[in-house]
Amino acid sequence: MSRPVQPVQDYTTTCLVMAFVNLLWVFVLVFLLWGLPAGMVLAVILNAGIDRLRSHLDRRA
């Protein structure tokens, strides 16, 4: 009754595109609700988080 393991589709690109779309609409929403300063603060926070993630992944590899 067991079936052989078959390869699955790679959804990495789809996941990254959807992450970009979600970040984009969140930025637009923040900009519309609270203006440019809040959008800039959000951008700085996300940039710091991405930098920390990159340094963590560089140390791991």
Side-chain angles (χ1 to χ4, degrees), residues 26-51:
V26 168
F27 269 117
V28 170
L29 181 69
V30 167
F31 181 75
L32 290 175
L33 290 177
W34 295 295
L36 184 61
M40 294 298 287
V41 168
L42 180 60
V44 168
I45 290 170
L46 281 173
N47 189 35
I50 290 169
D51 287 343

Side-chain angles (χ1 to χ4, degrees), residues 1-5:
M1 194 75 155
S2 71
R3 292 179 271 169
V5 176

Side-chain angles (χ1 to χ4, degrees), residues 9-31:
Q9 292 180 351
D10 184 15
Y11 288 110
T12 303
T13 304
T14 306
C15 183
L16 291 174
V17 168
M18 286 308 300
F20 171 74
V21 169
N22 283 325
L23 280 175
L24 187 62
W25 78 259
V26 168
F27 269 117
V28 170
L29 181 69
V30 167
F31 181 75

